[in-house]
Amino acid sequence: MAACIFCKIIKGEIPCFKLFESDKTLAFLDINPLSKGHALVIPKFHGATLTDIPDEHLSELLPVAKKLATATGAVNFNILQNNGRIAHQIVDHVHFHMIPKPNEQEGLGISWPQKETDMEALKALFEEIKPKV
């Protein structure tokens, strides 16, 4: 896609600090890092959300994120992938963040608004989703 910043990075039109590259995957340092070593792992296949990417273009993404975590020495880290605006996606090209969490102040800060479980509703949801998987 012509206007996609990540596609421009893939084509070499915009420079990056490349950490890994294969025929299907590119990983580079984030230019607006949340912590030291914050990197992005992207498929070279353009798609806005995870469901837009063929499985064969997804196979390297998590192994590369794992390599980056190991390379940075991160013991605590987040792997983050957002889909859609209300899920906080800004760039419309699938990307995984590998964000080291060296201490309480650096890295990704999140809250987890856990809700009380309605077991009957959970069972109904299970019965709805399971046949589709």
Side-chain angles (χ1 to χ4, degrees):
M1 180 169 254
C4 174
I5 190 167
F6 288 169
C7 288
K8 289 180 180 182
I9 290 170
I10 290 165
K11 291 177 187 172
E13 296 172 6
I14 296 175
C16 70
F17 292 100
K18 193 180 302 182
L19 298 169
F20 175 89
E21 184 172 23
S22 72
D23 60 331
K24 294 181 182 176
T25 305
L26 179 64
F28 52 94
L29 291 174
D30 193 305
I31 62 167
N32 295 303
L34 296 181
S35 61
K36 183 179 177 182
H38 180 174
L40 300 175
V41 183
I42 66 172
K44 288 185 174 180
F45 185 97
H46 177 83
T49 66
L50 192 61
T51 56
D52 296 330
I53 308 295
D55 289 351
E56 61 269 17
H57 291 274
L58 296 172
S59 61
E60 290 183 331
L61 299 177
L62 287 177
V64 170
K66 178 182 172 183
K67 286 179 186 190
L68 294 175
T70 301
T72 63
V75 174
N76 301 290
F77 58 93
N78 295 95
I79 302 295
L80 176 67
Q81 198 277 316
N82 302 323
N83 293 274
R85 293 293 180 266
I86 65 171
H88 310 287
Q89 183 179 10
I90 304 299
V91 177
D92 290 329
H93 186 117
V94 169
H95 55 288
F96 286 76
H97 293 261
M98 191 293 296
I99 309 166
K101 184 76 174 161
N103 56 54
E104 292 292 327
Q105 292 73 39
E106 292 180 80
L108 183 64
I110 60 173
S111 65
W112 200 271
Q114 190 170 337
K115 297 178 181 179
E116 190 84 18
T117 301
D118 174 342
M119 292 305 286
E120 288 302 314
L122 190 60
K123 181 180 178 191
L125 179 61
F126 167 79
E127 290 170 356
E128 177 187 336
I129 295 173
K130 177 65 177 161
K132 298 174 187 176
V133 176

